[in-house]
Amino acid sequence: MKASTQPKTYSLHLEELPAVRDFSAMYFYMRSHSQDGAFVQLLDQLIGISDKLLAQWLNVTPKTYRSYRSNPNLILKDAIKEHIALLLSLYKHGIAVFGQKESFEKWLTTANPILEGEAPEGFLDTITGIQFIDNRLTAMEYGENA
């Protein structure tokens, strides 16, 4: 039997992702989606940030991140899969707050006095950092400064 050379297609959509703050829903969501390549594919399609920065957020090398993209049979470590799912959920929230991806990414990459002069992107290499930035987005929804 000849192996298929067609790229895999995945059925993972941003709208389906639970909120960063909904730990239980996120856990069961990740457990129910076994096609790890779908997470990487959606991340790659959605995020306009460089591979180098994405790799930094995921605590892998850019070469490793690129290999994730090109592997049709990708199986991620649970911690990497969780990190990607939370980044996607953060993006979903950020786009809802800012109205468009480009505005959210500009905010992510701009030094912020509320964050002691750091850009929010500097916090995204840990789960706690993602949760912290998500909390900042929620605060902005309720009228706090960016």
Side-chain angles (χ1 to χ4, degrees), residues 115-128:
L115 303 175
E116 298 182 357
E118 284 194 56
E121 70 182 2
F123 293 83
L124 303 184
D125 59 346
T126 65
I127 300 302
T128 304

Side-chain angles (χ1 to χ4, degrees), residues 9-81:
T9 57
Y10 302 103
S11 60
L12 182 68
H13 303 283
L14 194 61
E15 301 82 31
E16 300 172 353
L17 281 162
V20 169
R21 64 188 169 279
D22 193 348
F23 305 113
S24 297
M26 184 61 76
Y27 175 80
F28 289 109
Y29 179 82
M30 289 186 322
R31 301 274 301 184
S32 69
H33 286 79
S34 61
Q35 294 179 323
D36 293 358
F39 287 94
V40 174
Q41 185 180 54
L42 185 57
L43 185 71
D44 197 45
Q45 291 169 355
L46 175 66
I47 297 181
I49 302 273
S50 71
D51 286 357
K52 183 178 177 183
L53 186 55
L54 277 172
Q56 182 180 338
W57 290 349
L58 296 173
N59 299 297
V60 298
T61 66
K63 182 179 179 182
T64 298
Y65 177 71
R66 286 190 293 274
S67 76
Y68 290 167
R69 270 200 317 242
S70 63
N71 183 351
N73 302 311
L74 180 65
I75 298 174
L76 293 168
K77 291 181 181 178
D78 288 341
I80 297 285
K81 186 175 176 179

Side-chain angles (χ1 to χ4, degrees), residues 49-144:
I49 302 273
S50 71
D51 286 357
K52 183 178 177 183
L53 186 55
L54 277 172
Q56 182 180 338
W57 290 349
L58 296 173
N59 299 297
V60 298
T61 66
K63 182 179 179 182
T64 298
Y65 177 71
R66 286 190 293 274
S67 76
Y68 290 167
R69 270 200 317 242
S70 63
N71 183 351
N73 302 311
L74 180 65
I75 298 174
L76 293 168
K77 291 181 181 178
D78 288 341
I80 297 285
K81 186 175 176 179
E82 177 183 25
H83 204 132
I84 291 172
L86 289 170
L87 284 170
L88 289 167
S89 186
L90 179 74
Y91 257 74
K92 176 182 171 182
H93 190 190
I95 291 167
V97 170
F98 283 89
Q100 58 184 348
K101 178 182 82 163
E102 294 77 12
S103 297
F104 174 58
E105 286 183 340
K106 182 177 181 188
W107 177 78
L108 269 182
T109 58
T110 302
N112 190 315
I114 297 214
L115 303 175
E116 298 182 357
E118 284 194 56
E121 70 182 2
F123 293 83
L124 303 184
D125 59 346
T126 65
I127 300 302
T128 304
I130 293 170
Q131 293 166 339
F132 174 67
I133 297 303
D134 189 65
N135 287 343
R136 292 304 318 142
L137 290 171
T138 300
M140 290 167 58
E141 287 178 300
Y142 288 94
E144 285 192 26

